[in-house]
Amino acid sequence: MKKDSDIQSIHPQEEIFKEIFESLYPRLMALACRFVDRYVAKDIVQDVFVNYWEKKHTIEIRSVLSYLYRSTQNGCLNYLKHQMVEQEYEAQVHIAEERMRFMAENTDTNDLFKKVVTRDLWEVIESSVDQLPPKCAQAFRLYYMHDLSHKEIAKTMNISHRTVEGYVRQAILFLREDLKDLFLLLCMFCNI
């Protein structure tokens, strides 16, 4: 049976990391909470420590404190940028949906035409989604077409919710570019 002193001599880096974590975690949480809510801040700070632990042998750090502060700040800013991209995309989708709903309610077209247009739009969108990497497409479909939260998707796909956020962000950026002509056409068509 190993004594505590034997364990500490075997894993001194883990002990140092534990001390760093215990002393800096509250400060990094305070910093992160200036930018984002507490739940997001916890994830970001934990990711910062995990990344530091995983990369500790490959990165050159003059000051661990500065590195962790900068990483936390960057993590928060990246999260906020992602939120802005997602909100902008959702606003564009909402506008397009409202225009389509207005057109459907205020035109004399028959139901068959409406069904054809709707089906064709979904085929174009699905075709674009099919161009995404499989896991990215799956996360996008679960989020936007099945209305699951990032945490639910993470559990379903057995990945972290941060990975889900990355997949959804990647899909949005790709679809925004790939479907920009479709949105322009819809806007023009709905304004006629």
Side-chain angles (χ1 to χ4, degrees), residues 66-169:
S66 295
Y67 174 81
L68 294 175
Y69 265 84
R70 190 172 54 252
S71 296
T72 301
Q73 202 169 18
N74 289 341
C76 292
L77 294 175
N78 288 339
Y79 175 82
L80 293 172
K81 285 179 193 174
H82 164 69
Q83 291 300 105
M84 289 174 55
V85 167
E86 203 170 89
Q87 289 171 357
E88 183 180 318
Y89 176 78
E90 288 174 3
Q92 289 176 353
V93 168
H94 179 71
I95 290 169
E97 287 173 349
E98 288 300 314
R99 286 186 174 166
M100 287 173 56
R101 187 178 0 266
F102 177 80
M103 183 184 82
E105 292 171 358
N106 296 306
T107 61
D108 293 334
T109 58
N110 62 32
D111 287 338
L112 179 61
F113 177 73
K114 290 177 188 176
K115 288 178 185 176
V116 169
V117 169
T118 303
R119 188 193 74 227
D120 288 347
L121 286 174
W122 277 111
E123 285 177 8
V124 170
I125 292 169
E126 272 298 320
S127 173
S128 188
V129 171
D130 286 341
Q131 294 177 47
L132 294 166
K135 287 191 177 212
C136 184
Q138 181 185 6
F140 178 81
R141 284 185 179 107
L142 290 172
Y143 187 69
Y144 281 104
M145 297 174 186
H146 297 283
D147 221 15
L148 296 180
S149 70
H150 286 171
K151 288 186 180 183
E152 292 169 325
I153 297 167
K155 187 175 180 181
T156 301
M157 294 179 66
N158 199 25
I159 56 178
S160 75
H161 84 279
R162 301 283 291 199
T163 303
V164 171
E165 289 176 1
Y167 283 153
V168 172
R169 180 177 49 247

